[in-house]
Amino acid sequence: MNDRTGAIESAAGNSNFAVNSALSFGYRWFDPERWGHWSFDVDFFGSYMGVGVSGFGVSGAENLGFLGMRGRVGYRVWYDRLEPFIGMIGGGVLANTESGGVDHGAVWGYWFSPTGGVRYYIPNTRWSISLDGFFRFIGGINGLSGPGVTINETPHAGLGGRWLYEPVGIVALGYRF
């Protein structure tokens, strides 16, 4: 919303680059005698995403910090070395934006995502490599403001609301204790 004119204006921009890093720590259950090839895991998930944005003749940045919980179900195949998995993840997000040298402040929101991927267990070691993909839906980020402009999205986002969303792919190195 433009505070000078009172008009609601749609905003658009192009992401020039994005950096996404993640760290997770949790527990994985795998008991072949009890559940066969099935595995289950729960973990705490933290992630940071920094994006450079250009639009309206100015440049800016978006910084988002994600913290949440993830649960997954996997099924081991190929000598129990390859494990496709699916799950859900979600939690809180802290967002901060800047454009044209103006810091718009920081606000809290929420996010959730379906997730899926595949994990490969390196033989005779405790290490694994995985490819994890998810599609983050980010909501509830309201109140980012600067001189003459307030950036809001619908508090109860949904089909008629305004979700911020991003596809994410992560290559992860894992270690089992």
Side-chain angles (χ1 to χ4, degrees):
M1 179 172 182
N2 188 320
D3 292 338
R4 286 175 265 177
T5 65
I8 296 174
E9 302 170 1
S10 61
N14 297 315
S15 294
N16 297 329
F17 64 89
V19 174
N20 197 26
S21 58
L23 179 64
S24 69
F25 183 82
Y27 191 79
R28 180 168 299 125
W29 292 272
F30 178 67
D31 186 351
E33 293 175 8
R34 224 183 223 177
W35 301 307
H37 295 277
W38 292 98
S39 69
F40 309 92
D41 61 89
V42 174
D43 62 343
F44 292 102
F45 182 87
S47 176
Y48 164 79
M49 185 185 81
V51 180
V53 178
S54 65
F56 305 119
V58 296
S59 63
E62 296 175 5
N63 295 297
L64 296 113
F66 299 92
L67 187 60
M69 295 267 316
R70 173 171 54 185
R72 294 182 289 198
V73 175
Y75 190 82
R76 293 190 184 185
V77 295
W78 195 52
Y79 307 104
D80 286 337
R81 290 186 187 156
L82 196 62
E83 181 183 59
F85 56 84
I86 60 170
M88 284 296 289
I89 184 172
V93 58
L94 178 62
N96 179 278
T97 62
E98 173 272 325
S99 62
V102 177
D103 184 358
H104 296 288
V107 294
W108 283 94
Y110 57 90
W111 68 283
F112 68 93
S113 176
T115 182
V118 64
R119 184 178 297 113
Y120 175 74
Y121 293 95
I122 300 170
N124 303 319
T125 70
R126 293 180 166 268
W127 294 94
S128 65
I129 298 172
S130 65
L131 299 173
D132 196 349
F134 48 94
F135 199 84
R136 277 188 187 138
F137 292 91
I138 307 165
I141 300 175
N142 288 317
L144 295 174
S145 61
V149 178
T150 300
I151 302 168
N152 280 334
E153 57 92 18
T154 307
H156 301 289
L159 295 176
R162 309 259 192 295
W163 287 102
L164 298 173
Y165 55 88
E166 64 173 350
V168 177
I170 295 177
V171 177
L173 183 62
Y175 184 78
R176 295 171 290 170
F177 292 98

